[in-house]
Every structure is written in structure tokens, then in C-alpha cells.
Amino acid sequence: MTRRQCTGEYKIKPIKKKVRELLGYPYPSRIPKGVFVEQWVGISTDEFHRAKDADVKYMRNRHPLIDLDWSRADCVRYLTSIGLADTPKSSCLGCPFHGNAQWRHIRDTSPQEWVDVVAFDAAIRQGNARANAAGNRLLGQAFLHRSRVPLGQAPIDHVTAAEWAARQEEFNDGTTTVEELEGGVADGCSPWACRGDVLLAQDDFGLAS
Ligand code: SF4
């Protein structure tokens, strides 16, 4: 897995920008002390460790599911009771943490989105255009699927235990389990609880201050 900027670039920066706009203090205005938004983040009790304070004073995080003492199972029970039992984990369409089940779901239920993710996978083969231009070229090639095969041809259909054993060598990273290959990373992803624990170390819009 290479360094990713997805959460920082595409979620946190735009949210901070919008929050500043809503507060009436767009960057680089200084936000007065005591002016803030309250932001509700849906972290359940079984992922308590992912609940964090915001990193700026103009946003205060609240975690209503934790206040309610709701676990993931409680959420599923509630969603089922209102007819939303199939609510998926939150994630971006082209997330490299998807398992085969998520890739198949996109392919089999949303052909246009499948075309998009296959094209996106092809577009990242040589890495990040900005990093390449800055001289930090990717050594090798990038792929969305763990097999390091272009997504359109990757083995995303269900694999049996025997097939998986035969493929271990092909995957050769020594860390992927058959459960992860199928179901992807267990946690959902939100701007404030990214699957990859990506931190926005540097903010070139000054939004982190
Ligand atoms: S779901 Fe999270 S880790 Fe995956 S691409 Fe989106 S922001 Fe990145």
C-alpha cells in the first residue's frame, strides 16, 4: 500500500473549507475564539477508539451513537426496523481497501460505476501525477485490487479455500487473509475515522489552523 491522501484531500479539506464558509470566516480570515460548529460523527461503541476530537478549535465533534450507547449491532437492528437492512459500509467507490464482495457488488449492480472504477484503476497505474511531476516517481505500478491485476481482469469472483491456497504465492504479501480478500477491511470510512488512519500532516490551504 502506498501513501494515500484520499481522506485528507477529498474529505477533510473540503469539509473545513465549507465549515469556514458557513461560519462566515473563509480562509485566511481568523476565526474568533468561541465560534465553532458542532459536528456529529457516527462512531458506534465497538469502534470507540476511533472517536476523536477535531484538530481545529472551530469544529467540535460529538458522537451521538456513543452517547446513546449503540453498538454496530444496535445500528443494524435499528436500520432493519425501518426497512434499511441492506445499508452498506460507508466508503468511496474506488477504495483500495475494498474486498471482492464490494467489487462484485459494483460490477453487478452499477455498470456505469464499474466502468468508472475500472478507468480510475487504469489511470493510477503510474502513480500520482503531482508526485511524478515533483520528481517522486512511483517505483513500480499502482493497482486497486490486491492481486495487482487491472481491475477489469482481477479475480473478484468468489474464491474457494483451495483456490485461495493456490493463489497465496501469487498475492505474495503474506498479510492478506481470505476474509479480507472477500470482505475488505472491516471498518467503514469517514473523514474522521479513515480506514487507513491517514492524517493530514500538512495543509496547503492553511485549513488546519
Ligand atoms: S473509503 Fe476511506 S480509505 Fe477508502 S478511498 Fe475513501 S477515503 Fe480513502
Side-chain angles (χ1 to χ4, degrees):
M1 185 67 77
T2 65
R3 179 170 178 268
R4 290 165 302 102
Q5 298 142 291
C6 42
T7 292
E9 291 291 326
Y10 303 128
K11 294 182 176 178
I12 295 179
K13 273 188 184 176
I15 289 173
K16 287 180 172 173
K17 190 171 177 203
K18 187 67 188 173
V19 165
R20 277 179 158 276
E21 190 186 306
L22 290 170
L23 289 173
Y25 297 95
Y27 180 77
S29 310
R30 195 164 186 79
I31 303 175
K33 217 174 166 177
V35 174
F36 63 91
V37 295
E38 186 177 274
Q39 184 170 239
W40 289 22
V41 186
I43 304 270
S44 55
T45 52
D46 37 14
E47 41 181 23
F48 182 81
H49 58 284
R50 303 174 85 201
K52 299 192 177 97
D53 290 334
D55 61 351
V56 287
K57 291 203 171 66
Y58 60 85
M59 297 197 301
R60 291 191 191 168
N61 287 353
R62 288 217 25 211
H63 302 97
L65 297 177
I66 290 177
D67 295 344
L68 285 167
D69 199 24
W70 275 23
S71 65
R72 185 180 296 218
D74 293 321
C75 298
V76 171
R77 226 182 335 269
Y78 173 70
L79 290 169
T80 305
S81 76
I82 58 169
L84 297 173
D86 294 332
T87 304
K89 287 185 281 196
S90 57
S91 72
C92 301
L93 206 51
C95 180
F97 291 110
H98 281 337
N100 286 340
Q102 286 103 335
W103 292 127
R104 284 197 303 276
H105 181 76
I106 299 170
R107 181 194 65 187
D108 299 342
T109 63
S110 186
Q112 186 52 52
E113 288 180 330
W114 178 245
V115 169
D116 285 351
V117 286
V118 168
F120 175 65
D121 174 64
I124 63 167
R125 201 71 71 235
Q126 305 312 321
N128 175 316
R130 200 176 347 159
N132 287 339
N136 300 317
R137 296 195 69 78
L138 180 71
L139 303 175
Q141 295 184 313
F143 297 88
L144 287 179
H145 193 264
R146 287 167 189 264
S147 62
R148 301 186 291 271
V149 170
L151 189 56
Q153 293 117 51
I156 64 169
D157 285 301
H158 197 75
V159 286
T160 63
E163 283 170 334
W164 174 242
R167 281 189 191 164
Q168 286 284 15
E169 210 164 297
E170 181 187 320
F171 281 73
N172 199 28
D173 66 2
T175 59
T176 307
T177 63
V178 70
E179 289 78 21
E180 267 178 5
L181 183 73
E182 178 62 13
V185 169
D187 293 329
C189 189
S190 94
W192 313 105
C194 177
R195 302 169 150 182
D197 283 326
V198 171
L199 296 174
L200 187 59
Q202 169 142 17
D203 183 338
D204 27 357
F205 293 118
L207 301 174
S209 57

